[in-house]
């Protein structure tokens, strides 16, 4: 099927630069691949049931008022499933944090969603894997 899509200019030029670098033969091919990735990620996010090992990577501006406390509160609320975290000071304002979780998939997802909802968090990525004995 053919569809017409309106996109802001800078979004399209960023996309074009990426598909050129990755060697796609056409913009359509890049868009199909992006939609597949988006659907897979969404379906996967809605299907994190049972025990899961997870990592949440986030980048945030620690100078944003209240954010460091809110992040700490969110993690203390899920202390039972958070196994470890690593903090890297990226530059004057920005921090990278990687949180390692092991627990019920729906709880792992809740932690990620809570973090995503906080103002000043610039990037959040959740990855999960089944527990080792199920791989
Ligand atoms: Ni820091």
């Amino acid at each position: 099927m053919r569809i017409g899509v309106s996109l802001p200019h800078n979004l399209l030029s960023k996309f074009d630069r990426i598909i050129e670098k990755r060697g796609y033969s056409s913009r359509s091919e890049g868009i199909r691949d992006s939609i597949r990735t988006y659907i897979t990620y969404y379906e996967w996010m809605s299907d994190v049931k049972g025990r899961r090992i997870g990592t949440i990577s986030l980048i945030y501006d620690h100078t944003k008022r209240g954010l460091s406390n809110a992040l700490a509160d969110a993690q203390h609320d899920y202390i039972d499933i958070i196994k470890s975290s690593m903090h890297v000071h990226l530059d004057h304002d920005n921090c990278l944090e990687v949180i390692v979780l092991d627990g019920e998939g729906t709880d792992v997802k809740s932690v990620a969603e809570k973090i995503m909802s906080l103002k000043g968090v610039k990037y959040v990525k959740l990855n999960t894997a089944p527990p080792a004995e199920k791989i």
Side-chain angles (χ1 to χ4, degrees):
M1 276 177 68
R2 280 184 166 273
I3 56 162
V5 183
S6 305
L7 296 171
H9 179 261
N10 70 333
L11 186 64
L12 188 59
S13 48
K14 271 186 187 172
F15 184 74
D16 282 344
R17 277 199 299 277
I18 293 168
I19 61 175
E20 198 192 331
K21 272 189 199 156
R22 299 196 61 189
Y24 284 104
S25 59
S26 69
R27 193 183 262 164
S28 290
E29 197 191 329
I31 290 170
R32 278 194 292 274
D33 200 27
S34 305
I35 293 174
R36 275 188 217 107
T37 305
Y38 181 85
I39 290 171
T40 306
Y41 187 72
Y42 181 82
E43 286 178 346
W44 169 85
M45 275 281 282
S46 337
D47 189 35
V48 278
K49 294 178 189 85
R51 187 177 155 221
R52 289 278 165 164
I53 313 302
T55 59
I56 299 170
S57 313
L58 62 139
I59 294 173
Y60 65 96
D61 180 348
H62 82 96
T63 65
K64 200 101 185 174
R65 205 188 155 92
L67 181 56
S68 297
N69 277 339
L71 280 166
D73 287 346
Q75 294 185 55
H76 282 269
D77 285 345
Y78 288 92
I79 201 156
D80 295 344
I81 62 166
I82 294 177
K83 299 300 159 192
S84 181
S85 69
M86 180 181 72
H87 185 107
V88 179
H89 310 297
L90 293 175
D91 57 35
H92 187 269
D93 292 346
N94 294 293
C95 303
L96 164 72
E97 217 159 287
V98 180
I99 303 164
V100 179
L101 309 99
D102 180 354
E104 192 55 41
T106 48
D107 294 333
V108 170
K109 199 177 128 194
S110 297
V111 180
E113 284 171 343
K114 175 72 202 171
I115 289 170
M116 283 173 193
S117 74
L118 299 173
K119 259 205 169 118
V121 175
K122 296 175 174 178
Y123 171 90
V124 184
K125 181 84 182 195
L126 166 68
N127 279 297
T128 78
E133 67 269 16
K134 288 192 177 169
I135 298 174

